[in-house]
Amino acid sequence: MKYVATKVLKRLETNKLRGGFKDPQRTLLVPISFGVSSIVLLHVLNQQLSARAEAGRHSGYNLHILFVDESAVLKHAFLPDLLDMLKQRYPSHTYTVVSLEDYCDYDFDFDLPAFADARTNGHGVLDKITRFKRILSSLPSATSRADMIEILRRRLIIAFAQKHACDSILFGDSTTRLAEKTLSETAKGRGISLPWLIADGSPSHGINCTYPLRDLLRKELGAYVSMTLPPLTPLVCEAPSQTPTSSKETTIDGLMTQYFESVEQNYPSIVANVVRTSGKLLAPSILEDIDACTLCGCPIANMSWGGDQLDSAVPRLADGSGSEHGKAICYGCARTV
Ligand SMILES: [Zn+2]
């Protein structure tokens, strides 16, 4: 029990987010998916805040809990009862629900010219959900669709944090999840973005992102949720890992999840090693004149971004008239759309 809390709080301390009594009060955004990891993260942070409040000490930070409702595109539905249970158990924080299709309300320009057809049906502008579903169905594969949903979720969380003046985002990814991400992002041609996607303290899109559960395996968190008093198990609602009905529906992310599920049982040190190794990658300091990818928002680090696989310069999406003077995208996104 103590092991988990110690690991999490140590990470916060390393990233100077634990909040000493001299530090100004911070607002930390915690995205919640109702998976084991994010629930454990919230529980540990809440415990720390409660202990400080009982001792009459400066709390150091406030938590803003964000749930991204993906029911428009994923099979599992959003359960308002679960959110109510969470609010009852941890009442002192701020809670917000946003829908994935609400990306339209933020100022990142995701309705690219390449997706222009998705915007109207010839009679008028379509509603957000239909527009979003059209964009997804225009993508070439299940992996691309899963990739696009992941990119949107991350950008929406970051945009929300910026709009609400949060000081940092605490993602609940475990070691196992970060290892999955390392391999799947690399397989999807996004190896170059890894420092922005999984490293602690990376100034991703101008806001600090931290992964306080990076030293804990998913199976350790799974054991933790049943050991707390009362158990956290009723708050956890993981989407069942769906076995794709055909190989067409199989995604790289899905394969990686299955792979690391088995690896962490017998060879947990391999999982930790993947994350330690990729954690050593450093994000180059971002220069202002470097293009950011229009889709995923990661900086397009240099002109040789495609390695030997592409000999041209940074590709650009064709604009509405089909010319090539559209917006710059990174290698990973060029493979997705
Ligand atoms: Zn990109």
Side-chain angles (χ1 to χ4, degrees), residues 190 293 295-296 330 333:
R190 297 186 185 280
C293 171
L295 279 181
C296 70
C330 71
C333 289

Side-chain angles (χ1 to χ4, degrees), residues 151 190 193 293-298 300 328-334:
I151 290 172
R190 297 186 185 280
S193 308
C293 171
T294 311
L295 279 181
C296 70
C298 287
I300 301 173
I329 55 171
C330 71
Y331 176 57
C333 289

Side-chain angles (χ1 to χ4, degrees), residues 56-125:
R57 288 171 54 204
H58 170 59
S59 64
Y61 56 87
N62 312 312
L63 297 181
H64 194 141
I65 315 299
L66 178 70
F67 176 72
V68 180
D69 177 8
E70 296 170 29
S71 52
V73 288
L74 297 182
K75 280 170 194 153
H76 56 269
F78 164 52
L79 303 166
D81 295 353
L82 213 53
L83 189 66
D84 288 341
M85 272 165 64
L86 199 67
K87 286 180 186 171
Q88 273 169 23
R89 181 139 177 191
Y90 307 111
S92 51
H93 316 302
T94 310
Y95 290 81
T96 307
V97 177
V98 291
S99 298
L100 201 51
E101 62 275 14
D102 288 343
Y103 75 87
C104 301
D105 303 337
Y106 289 85
D107 63 355
F108 53 91
D109 178 17
F110 208 78
D111 274 352
L112 298 164
F115 300 137
D117 286 350
R119 248 179 281 177
T120 62
N121 59 1
H123 302 294
V125 176

